Amino acid sequence: MLSNDEEIAFSVDEMTGIQALERIAPDLALAPGKPLAREFEYKRHGTQTLIAALRVAMGSVYAHCGETRTEEDFCRFIAALIEHHPGYRVYHIVVDQLNTHKSEALVRLAAALSGVHSDLGVKGERGILASMDSRAAFSPATISAWCFHYTHDMPRG
């Protein structure tokens, strides 16, 4: 069993389509008996995607805002998350069933971090890269620092 200083746990998720808004007028200051007045009109600056990791034991958040939410974006986020929290033997990462969480890029990152140089197969055809299930199951024993935990979708009814 590992001690607390050897493993770390994060809950990771994304939020897409966050509107980047700018108020067109400054707030009017508080005055005795008068609340802060905020203009309701704004200028749109498109949307952003937030990828965030909650460090479960500490309640701290590591986050990134960007233009897109691709498998490469998520993979870069996970690599940076591990880089910004060095020295642990096991990184527990809790994610939902989104396809980017079971991507080719993520398997390739795990292989690179673990020193696995064997053939990973071909996405959609064979080997570890054959399917989302085979990619999700990939957890090379040599990379003790990599452990994804997938939440289960709740049945709808």
Side-chain angles (χ1 to χ4, degrees):
M1 182 169 202
L2 298 174
S3 67
N4 288 340
D5 60 342
E6 293 180 299
E7 51 189 330
I8 189 168
F10 295 98
S11 179
V12 180
D13 206 357
E14 303 90 0
M15 183 172 190
T16 61
I18 300 171
Q19 291 190 43
L21 305 176
E22 174 186 6
R23 298 282 174 195
I24 63 171
D27 293 341
L28 298 177
L30 294 168
K34 181 181 169 197
L36 175 78
R38 177 165 289 153
E39 176 64 50
F40 66 89
E41 293 187 59
Y42 52 85
K43 180 179 178 184
R44 294 177 188 261
H45 293 285
T47 60
Q48 292 281 287
T49 293
L50 171 69
I51 305 174
L54 171 68
R55 185 171 173 188
V56 175
M58 305 298 287
S60 57
V61 175
Y62 178 81
H64 171 75
C65 273
E67 300 290 322
T68 59
R69 183 200 64 193
T70 65
E71 71 179 70
E72 290 80 13
D73 295 327
F74 186 73
C75 188
R76 278 192 300 273
F77 178 80
I78 294 299
L81 180 67
I82 292 171
E83 182 180 321
H84 281 84
H85 298 86
Y88 293 91
R89 287 189 49 215
V90 178
Y91 292 81
H92 296 279
I93 302 172
V94 180
V95 292
D96 60 19
Q97 298 284 337
L98 189 65
N99 62 345
T100 57
H101 302 164
K102 302 174 183 181
S103 70
E104 177 180 3
L106 209 51
V107 168
R108 293 195 182 281
L109 174 64
L113 290 175
S114 66
V116 172
H117 302 292
S118 60
D119 181 20
L120 299 173
V122 176
K123 185 176 180 179
E125 293 181 18
R126 64 175 177 77
I128 294 164
L129 297 176
S131 69
M132 282 202 303
D133 288 341
S134 62
R135 293 190 296 267
F138 179 64
S139 183
T142 57
I143 183 171
S144 57
W146 190 269
C147 188
F148 270 69
H149 304 274
Y150 295 94
T151 60
H152 293 285
D153 290 332
M154 297 299 295
R156 297 180 184 181

